[in-house]
Amino acid sequence: MTETPPPPTQPDPNRETVRLRLGFSLRELLMLIMVVALASAFVTTLWRLQRAQAELAVLRQETGYLEPSDEGEIAAVRLPSDLPMTYRVRVRVPDWPPYRVAYSTDWRQSKTSPSWFAAVPLSPGESIVQVQVLRDPQDERWKITTLRRSPEGTRRMATVLPADQVPIFSSPREWLRSGVSNQTTTVAAGKTLRLLDERVLVGEGAMMLYGDRPPSDDMVGIFADLQPDVGPL
């Protein structure tokens, strides 16, 4: 007796549908994981970049970042200082003409600029200039000092203050502050740039002493100019 072979097994359409659905869901899941991973990496990188930019901005604010300038320009920016009557400026000058920082505490009546005491020569490139008024512990005399630091070395000059100015600087006073700020200032090479213009307010009419015009009376302050080193002060 011949056995009748069993009929061929027909594929279960429901099982095939489940299999297809599971395969599509797995691919979708893998793609979703990849998208999430890429998005997370992008967000993390963006956050780190923003944090680095914020830290760089703070660092530039603390150290006085001097923005790039053209070869035919001089540039300066004010640096932070925690000491009283101490001012720090970062400057950049070209190879020519030579430059210097002239300083003074005395601006005479009707003169167009202070009566400069002396000047510190600058090297081409960047330098840090510090101007300070203090009582020198070595001889107990009040002086204005100017210090230049550059890759070529350090140069310092000091001038004893006039006797009538000592009581003004040795006691608390109000100041009107001007000169360069913590944002880079540039002017064409060969011109003068006022670095410091810190005027002491003295007397009832002190407010009228401030301005671009020559003072109507003798003025006391801390003045420094970045100027071409061509001729006498």
Side-chain angles (χ1 to χ4, degrees):
M1 181 176 180
T2 304
E3 295 184 358
T4 304
T9 305
Q10 298 295 326
D12 187 349
N14 294 329
R15 180 179 299 175
E16 187 69 20
T17 302
V18 171
R19 184 178 302 166
L20 289 174
R21 286 179 179 175
L22 288 176
F24 179 77
S25 298
L26 181 59
R27 288 194 299 271
E28 186 179 42
L29 178 61
L30 292 175
M31 292 181 63
L32 179 61
I33 292 175
M34 183 180 298
V35 170
V36 171
L38 291 175
S40 299
F42 176 76
V43 171
T44 301
T45 302
L46 182 61
W47 176 80
R48 290 178 177 175
L49 179 60
Q50 291 177 341
R51 182 176 179 181
Q53 290 176 338
E55 292 176 351
L56 179 60
V58 173
L59 182 61
R60 287 178 172 179
Q61 182 72 20
E62 292 177 349
T63 59
Y65 174 67
L66 192 58
E67 297 178 357
S69 57
D70 295 336
E71 293 183 0
E73 292 181 328
I74 60 174
V77 65
R78 181 79 65 96
L79 305 183
S81 177
D82 296 330
L83 299 175
M85 291 187 293
T86 301
Y87 308 91
R88 300 171 64 241
V89 183
R90 187 188 300 274
V91 301
R92 183 191 298 124
V93 298
D95 294 338
W96 186 263
Y99 265 83
R100 64 193 178 195
V101 174
Y103 65 90
S104 178
T105 61
D106 189 18
W107 194 330
R108 293 296 175 177
Q109 175 183 348
S110 301
K111 296 295 184 180
T112 58
S113 64
S115 302
W116 301 115
F117 292 164
V120 177
L122 294 176
S123 306
E126 290 193 13
S127 303
I128 294 179
V129 178
Q130 176 177 293
V131 180
Q132 185 178 29
V133 172
L134 77 166
R135 186 171 63 180
D136 192 335
Q138 296 183 354
D139 56 16
E140 298 299 322
R141 293 192 296 178
W142 280 84
K143 301 176 182 178
I144 178 172
T145 66
T146 301
L147 179 71
R148 180 219 68 197
R149 291 189 178 93
S150 70
E152 294 188 0
T154 301
R155 179 75 177 270
R156 179 181 182 273
M157 296 191 70
T159 302
V160 178
L161 295 182
D164 59 340
Q165 293 185 6
V166 173
I168 296 175
F169 285 106
S170 60
S171 59
R173 298 286 180 176
E174 294 183 0
W175 295 76
L176 284 172
R177 305 183 182 280
S178 185
V180 297
S181 67
N182 57 1
Q183 301 294 325
T184 300
T185 301
T186 60
V187 299
K191 293 187 176 181
T192 296
L193 178 60
R194 177 63 48 84
L195 299 178
L196 299 176
D197 193 331
E198 311 290 314
R199 309 191 188 191
V200 181
L201 299 182
V202 181
E204 296 180 357
M207 289 297 294
M208 301 185 65
L209 295 179
Y210 184 74
D212 295 331
R213 293 171 299 178
S216 58
D217 199 355
D218 292 347
M219 186 185 307
V220 177
I222 300 175
F223 310 103
D225 269 9
L226 180 60
Q227 55 184 234
D229 192 358
V230 286
L233 290 171

